[in-house]
Amino acid sequence: MGILTRDEILKEIKSGNIEVEPFSQEQVGPASIDLYLGDEIRVFKKFRGIYHVNEESDYEKITKLIKVKNYFVILAGNVVHGITRDRIKLGENLCAWLDGRSRFARLGLMVHVTAGLIQPGINNKQVLEITNMGPIPLAVYPGTKICQLVIQETIGKAKYHGRFKNQVHP
């Protein structure tokens, strides 16, 4: 189905089929909702050896959570996990895509590596796999409109019940 435009997004918010908390109408663009970076960053620990990637892999074993007071510097080539300040709830007939903002992409900042799909029926904050692909260190600030949510209608209804359904931390 199609991508929702501003008027359709606002109708869905008014009806309760989309929730963004906290929310301001200024977040809604022509075909997306801007989301803010929260104040927690998960960084990779120093690790020697090989970490095996399989169904039992647990990112928390090789990362640590940091509370950001002012800003956080991401070195060139590094990946960190951020999280949106905003909690997102989607109806069972909607899914969404997290996408970067062009002003930050031009600096080499990516907001997700491969996990940009937000499943129907989700009700949580969104983890961001933030990568600095540029050649210089970049400082990111909590409260910055870091990414945008592009919402799409689904054919049929579904509800996400997966591993991260209640996530509130990166």
Side-chain angles (χ1 to χ4, degrees):
M1 300 299 293
I3 291 173
L4 275 58
T5 60
R6 177 182 170 82
D7 290 344
E8 295 304 311
I9 291 169
L10 292 172
K11 283 181 196 174
E12 294 290 337
I13 289 171
K14 187 174 182 178
S15 75
N17 202 33
I18 297 173
E19 291 180 18
V20 179
E21 181 62 40
F23 175 72
S24 165
Q25 279 196 19
E26 295 170 5
Q27 289 174 256
V28 183
S32 66
I33 302 172
D34 288 333
L35 301 178
Y36 295 88
L37 181 62
D39 64 355
E40 293 180 330
I41 300 282
R42 184 172 289 278
V43 299
F44 287 89
K45 298 175 186 175
K46 299 287 184 211
F47 187 82
R48 290 188 180 257
I50 299 170
Y51 189 76
H52 295 272
V53 177
N54 54 47
E55 290 299 321
E56 287 77 41
S57 297
D58 182 358
Y59 68 97
E60 290 182 344
K61 290 180 180 177
I62 58 171
T63 62
K64 65 180 177 179
L65 192 61
I66 296 173
K67 190 83 160 177
V68 178
K69 292 183 180 156
N70 189 16
Y71 62 89
F72 183 84
V73 176
I74 306 171
L75 299 177
N78 281 4
V79 177
V80 299
H81 301 166
I83 195 158
T84 60
R85 178 191 72 182
D86 322 80
R87 179 189 57 81
I88 306 302
K89 182 178 180 185
L90 297 178
E92 295 179 9
N93 66 323
L94 300 172
C95 66
W97 301 90
L98 277 174
D99 209 356
R101 298 185 64 217
S102 63
R103 71 178 58 205
F104 302 133
R106 293 165 198 236
L107 302 173
L109 191 70
M110 294 173 45
V111 295
H112 65 84
V113 176
T114 62
L117 175 64
I118 300 175
Q119 300 283 352
I122 202 80
N123 184 6
N124 59 16
K125 294 181 178 185
Q126 297 305 303
V127 169
L128 308 170
E129 302 107 8
I130 304 170
T131 306
N132 179 356
M133 297 300 292
I136 61 173
L138 298 175
V140 294
Y141 290 79
T144 300
K145 290 180 186 176
I146 194 82
C147 63
Q148 56 191 330
L149 188 69
V150 177
I151 302 170
Q152 190 169 13
E153 288 183 298
T154 61
I155 298 172
K157 292 185 178 184
K159 187 168 184 174
Y160 177 73
H161 295 287
R163 180 177 181 180
F164 302 110
K165 70 178 181 177
N166 296 316
Q167 70 189 5
V168 293
H169 302 286

